[in-house]
Amino acid sequence: MKVLMIGAGREVKGGVSAVVNQYYEANLDEKVDMKYIATMQDGSKAKKMWIFIRSLTEFKHCVRYYDIVHIHMSINASFYRKSIFIRIAHKFGKKIIIHMHSGAFDAFYNEACDDRQKRWVRYIFSLADAVIALSEEWKEYISNICDADKIHVIYNAVNMPAYLRENYEDRNVLFLGRLGEGKGIYDLLSAAPDIINAVPHTHFYLAGDGEIEKCREMCNQMDIQDNVTFLGWIRGEEKKKSLQKCSTFILPSYHEGMPMSLLEAMSYGCVVVSTRVGGIPKVIKNGLNGFLCEPGDVQALTETMIQALTEENRAAIGEKAYMTIRDSFNVEHNIDQIVKLYHSLCVWGGVKTRLRFINYPHYATNLQIFDSGRSAA
């Protein structure tokens, strides 16, 4: 069973790279014969174009040797880039998995696409043999675009850290994500003065790229600059240290699928505050293992944050957050689901592959390629 996986570069800032890195840390590449091709890297437009052309050339060269093409997809440019790979994989008779990561796919399809583009989206999804949705809510929405029977709900998951929080006395609050309206950062900054007034030692650590200067200006205008630290985009050891330093985590997003940053924070035993969007309510039970409020409601966010920072049972809530991830969102369980999906596609996929090559004999340049389906099955 050979899997060709494509998506953003593993050093790219975002959720897709975080998911893929979790796969490698959990040794998915040892459970299946897997190759990863990065289709995008951070940098200039010229660099991004060069990476795309290079990845497309590599993909065309090696796709024939693989049984399954697993495509990590978002919206806008990511969708249109990946649609090219999907069409090529389909011509080669490969089993195709679309793994949809964006929490704003509904806005992309309903608002950003005209009728012609909507037809294209539906066509691309029709070529997939399986679609991975990050929550039941997203499965329900995507079922309006493609056959519901091929949609599989597989939550994001994380590796459990070798760290167990014992102290919840600090009032450090961590935000992980792109600083912009979609992640609710301006709602958080609007709520911050009242939060700081109620809990004077509160300090916000904002980790992410995006509209940093606009956020700095807003902090200066509200005179809360001494209570806010901008960390920029962090990863690796720096992120681990921030998660250990901050016993409270905030993500007041307007759109999400299943945010990796939230799962990571819970795995570190943080007391989490977030919004009722996407798959988040499937993870957080309000008042039990975290706190929820409605997106865009600054007053509710203020009150919820004050409650999270002053709650007498903060330690118990953080411990339940940790146990939630350990028991239900551990990457080992996630990998098992992924591998089972691969196997289910390969059970009869070999026959389809051989028949495709009969129809397209010029693709079968040697016996190994022609008979790749039999070895996969």
Side-chain angles (χ1 to χ4, degrees), residues 37-39 50-60 85:
I37 297 178
T39 62
W50 163 244
I51 294 295
F52 171 70
I53 294 172
R54 187 180 69 180
S55 65
L56 187 60
T57 302
E58 183 180 7
F59 182 82
K60 288 179 178 179
F85 291 87

Side-chain angles (χ1 to χ4, degrees), residues 87-285:
R87 292 193 70 195
I88 295 171
H90 179 69
K91 288 182 178 179
F92 276 85
K94 303 303 176 181
K95 289 292 184 177
I96 299 169
I97 299 174
I98 292 178
H99 198 150
M100 177 51 66
H101 290 269
S102 175
F105 182 74
D106 53 347
F108 165 69
Y109 182 78
N110 293 331
E111 301 170 16
C113 293
D114 57 27
D115 289 341
R116 179 180 61 84
Q117 290 168 321
K118 288 178 179 178
R119 288 194 298 271
W120 180 256
V121 172
R122 293 193 297 270
Y123 166 69
I124 291 300
F125 271 84
S126 75
L127 300 183
D129 297 280
V131 176
I132 296 177
L134 300 185
S135 69
E136 284 80 3
E137 290 77 8
W138 280 110
K139 175 179 180 178
E140 182 178 354
Y141 180 80
I142 296 173
S143 66
N144 296 316
I145 297 170
C146 70
D147 185 0
D149 291 339
K150 64 183 180 184
I151 304 175
H152 304 259
V153 175
I154 301 180
Y155 295 123
N156 282 340
V158 295
N159 284 297
M160 297 302 296
Y163 173 81
L164 190 61
R165 187 181 302 278
E166 297 179 355
N167 193 322
Y168 286 84
E169 294 180 2
D170 70 87
R171 294 300 178 262
N172 298 328
V173 181
L174 180 64
F175 170 95
L176 284 171
R178 181 174 291 274
L179 274 61
E181 185 176 359
K183 294 293 184 180
I185 189 63
Y186 299 115
D187 293 337
L188 175 59
L189 293 179
S190 296
D194 288 336
I195 296 171
I196 295 167
N197 184 57
V199 189
H201 297 294
T202 299
H203 195 100
F204 296 93
Y205 292 87
L206 308 183
D209 61 354
E211 299 169 356
I212 296 177
E213 291 307 314
K214 185 176 178 180
C215 292
R216 285 187 191 276
E217 182 180 347
M218 188 171 177
C219 290
N220 291 334
Q221 290 174 349
M222 295 186 298
D223 196 26
I224 58 172
Q225 63 273 16
D226 292 339
N227 295 80
V228 180
T229 299
F230 292 88
L231 301 176
W233 190 271
I234 60 174
R235 54 165 60 94
E237 287 301 316
E238 189 177 3
K239 181 166 68 170
K240 291 178 182 178
K241 290 179 181 178
S242 295
L243 285 164
Q244 292 175 17
K245 181 178 182 177
C246 302
S247 62
T248 307
F249 176 84
I250 175 68
L251 187 67
S253 296
Y254 283 75
H255 305 280
E256 288 291 352
M258 183 64 73
M260 290 292 289
S261 60
L262 180 77
L263 301 181
E264 287 177 317
M266 293 177 71
S267 75
Y268 276 81
C270 293
V271 177
V272 295
V273 176
S274 193
T275 45
R276 293 184 178 89
V277 296
I280 293 175
K282 297 295 182 183
V283 187
I284 299 178
K285 305 305 177 186

